[in-house]
């Protein structure tokens, strides 16, 4: 095993200028991450300098067998925390050979919104709080829970320490450091209310980069849980009953909101979000109706309401924002399995491009 470990950790820079690029894309379910690696002649830091590639879309549910070729367009580069050195992770989106985005490519539509002059001028910032649950591999039951049984009720686990309260911290800390190494703007981690559930935060990130960074962070977490022999779940309500669900609260601000008088801009933006509540809910993740019940720090899925420091609201405004008269707000509706390209661009479209 030590030889295998030595080989995995080989420093290629001692013997070659060639580097390994892991091309990453989103599969047919919209949540399954796929990847494959290729050798490049030397280091690359600009995604436009990377070659396009292809894959068998019929094996990912994204193309028919008789016309299965799907083309990968490199969009963002991160340092590879697994191979290290000059090796890279490459976030890609997927197109037909004719250059049309395939139906599961949500990045292309988001990029159009984020390139709109009105959106560019507002420099939208996002901070996404990604909750997730760690499951025991063979039984798909939360890590630290007795198999077929339940731990004590919620209360002691949120941000807790101790072998009987915090389950999987080695995975969480490994992920935190790996994201920082990769160049992802990960801003924190914490244990969540349900035991076996954790959260990491990405941001503040501007525009389309919020989606690129969150997908890269998800990929790294999938790889780390693979190594640890633990299953990663983004299900918005992994355990029914009196247990918290998992969300992806999305914090948001624009240049106008961050400027003096921004609180009035925030209130107008929230009013616009309320008018399109159904459209947003439809785009905020599968199975979200199991989570947004009006209990466990959520608003009912059919109700739109906002409030200051109210974690039972659809939109929460912080006390600091109210006090300073400017800042940001938090959309608490997105589920943990949401697509960040869809959510971030829809918020920008509704609040910036949508006229009153």
């Amino acid at each position: 095993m030590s030889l295998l470990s030595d080989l995995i950790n080989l420093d290629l820079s001692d013997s070659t200028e060639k580097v390994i690029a892991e091309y990453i894309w989103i599969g047919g379910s919209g949540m399954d991450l796929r990847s494959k690696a290729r050798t490049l002649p030397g280091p690359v830091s600009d995604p436009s300098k990377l070659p396009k590639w292809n894959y068998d879309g019929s094996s990912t549910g994204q193309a028919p067998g008789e016309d299965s070729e799907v083309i990968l367009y490199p969009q963002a580069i991160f340092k590879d925390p697994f191979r290290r050195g000059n090796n890279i992770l490459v976030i890609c989106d997927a197109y037909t050979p004719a250059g049309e985005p395939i139906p599961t490519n949500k990045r292309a539509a988001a990029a159009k919104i984020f390139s709109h002059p009105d959106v560019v001028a507002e420099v939208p910032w996002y901070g996404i709080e990604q909750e997730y649950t760690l499951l025991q591999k063979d039984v798909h039951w939360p890590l630290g829970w007795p198999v077929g049984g339940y731990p004590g009720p919620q209360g002691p686990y949120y941000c807790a320490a101790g072998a009987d309260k915090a389950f999987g911290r080695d995975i969480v800390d490994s992920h935190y450091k790996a994201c920082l190494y990769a160049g992802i703007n990960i801003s924190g981690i914490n244990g969540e209310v349900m035991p076996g559930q954790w959260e990491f935060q990405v941001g503040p990130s501007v525009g389309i980069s919020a989606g690129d960074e969150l997908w890269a962070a998800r990929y790294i977490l999938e790889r780390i849980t693979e190594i640890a022999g633990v299953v990663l779940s983004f299900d918005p309500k992994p355990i029914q009953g009196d247990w918290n669900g998992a969300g992806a609260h999305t914090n948001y601000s624009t240049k106008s909101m961050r400027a003096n008088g921004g609180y009035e801009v925030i209130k107008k933006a929230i009013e616009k979000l309320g008018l399109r509540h159904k459209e947003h809910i439809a785009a905020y993740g599968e199975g979200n109706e199991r989570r947004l019940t009006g209990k466990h720090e959520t608003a009912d899925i059919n109700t739109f309401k906002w409030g200051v420091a109210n974690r039972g609201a659809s939109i929460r405004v912080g006390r600091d924002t109210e006090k300073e008269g400017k800042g940001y707000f938090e959309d608490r509706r997105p589920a943990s399995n949401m697509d960040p390209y869809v959510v971030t661009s829809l918020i920008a479209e509704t609040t910036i491009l949508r006229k009153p």
Side-chain angles (χ1 to χ4, degrees):
M1 287 301 290
S2 61
L3 177 58
L4 183 60
S5 179
D6 289 345
L7 289 170
I8 289 172
N9 293 311
L10 268 179
D11 183 356
L12 297 178
S13 62
D14 292 341
S15 57
T16 181
E17 291 184 358
K18 294 179 179 179
V19 300
I20 301 170
E22 190 80 25
Y23 279 45
I24 303 161
W25 72 96
I26 301 159
S29 75
M31 275 304 291
D32 55 318
L33 282 159
R34 310 292 180 119
S35 74
K36 61 178 183 173
R38 67 183 297 164
T39 305
L40 302 175
V44 180
S45 58
D46 180 353
S48 68
K49 300 288 194 280
L50 288 168
K52 294 174 185 174
W53 206 6
N54 64 73
Y55 68 92
D56 171 16
S58 69
S59 295
T60 62
Q62 293 171 296
E66 64 273 12
D67 187 16
S68 64
E69 190 169 287
V70 179
I71 313 301
L72 292 171
Y73 287 31
Q75 299 291 359
I77 292 175
F78 299 93
K79 293 173 65 178
D80 187 337
F82 304 102
R83 296 187 177 106
R84 286 170 280 189
N86 289 320
N87 303 302
I88 54 176
L89 304 177
V90 183
I91 296 293
C92 304
D93 58 355
Y95 295 78
T96 67
E100 294 295 320
I102 66 170
T104 52
N105 177 356
K106 307 303 182 186
R107 189 187 190 280
K112 285 184 180 179
I113 290 171
F114 284 121
S115 63
H116 190 288
D118 293 352
V119 177
V120 172
E122 281 291 352
V123 196
W125 289 2
Y126 298 90
I128 301 174
E129 305 170 29
Q130 176 68 72
E131 294 178 339
Y132 60 93
T133 308
L134 299 174
L135 305 176
Q136 300 168 56
K137 183 181 176 184
D138 295 325
V139 292
H140 280 232
W141 199 238
L143 202 63
W145 290 36
V147 175
Y150 296 86
Q154 295 182 153
Y157 311 107
Y158 173 69
C159 295
D164 59 342
K165 294 182 284 293
F167 311 117
R169 191 185 297 276
D170 52 346
I171 292 170
V172 176
D173 274 347
S174 297
H175 177 248
Y176 196 177
K177 289 185 176 180
C179 285
L180 286 171
Y181 177 92
I184 294 166
N185 193 21
I186 186 170
S187 47
I189 57 166
N190 61 269
E192 267 306 327
V193 177
M194 189 183 88
Q197 192 178 82
W198 295 81
E199 173 184 302
F200 66 88
Q201 302 95 33
V202 168
S205 303
V206 179
I208 197 76
S209 64
D212 291 338
E213 292 187 31
L214 190 72
W215 277 115
R218 284 175 171 178
Y219 175 81
I220 290 170
L221 186 54
E222 288 277 15
R223 288 281 301 275
I224 291 171
T225 52
E226 172 191 323
I227 293 165
V230 171
V231 173
L232 172 62
S233 172
F234 290 112
D235 190 296
K237 186 73 173 179
I239 305 294
Q240 294 303 306
D242 196 16
W243 303 98
N244 273 36
H249 301 157
T250 302
N251 299 275
Y252 171 70
S253 71
T254 62
K255 188 176 181 181
S256 299
M257 294 175 192
R258 297 186 293 269
N260 289 335
Y263 194 40
E264 291 304 313
V265 180
I266 287 172
K267 287 193 284 188
K268 287 176 184 175
I270 293 172
E271 184 180 345
K272 289 181 180 179
L273 289 169
L275 294 173
R276 298 189 78 195
H277 178 62
K278 286 184 179 179
E279 292 96 321
H280 280 255
I281 288 295
Y284 275 13
E286 294 291 325
N288 212 7
E289 71 282 351
R290 293 183 283 118
R291 168 181 162 260
L292 296 181
T293 61
K295 300 176 180 178
H296 306 110
E297 302 181 64
T298 70
D300 180 82
I301 195 167
N302 296 311
T303 303
F304 181 87
K305 60 180 181 179
W306 73 279
V308 176
N310 183 357
R311 294 182 186 276
S314 313
I315 305 289
R316 181 184 68 86
V317 174
R319 291 279 182 209
D320 286 348
T321 295
E322 181 188 43
K323 182 180 177 181
E324 294 176 14
K326 60 183 178 181
Y328 70 98
F329 64 82
E330 174 192 47
D331 191 338
R332 298 179 60 80
R333 297 171 295 172
S336 50
N337 60 359
M338 63 82 154
D339 188 322
Y341 294 132
V342 173
V343 169
T344 56
S345 61
L346 185 57
I347 292 173
E349 180 187 31
T350 296
T351 61
I352 300 172
L353 300 181
R354 199 83 169 179
K355 301 307 175 188

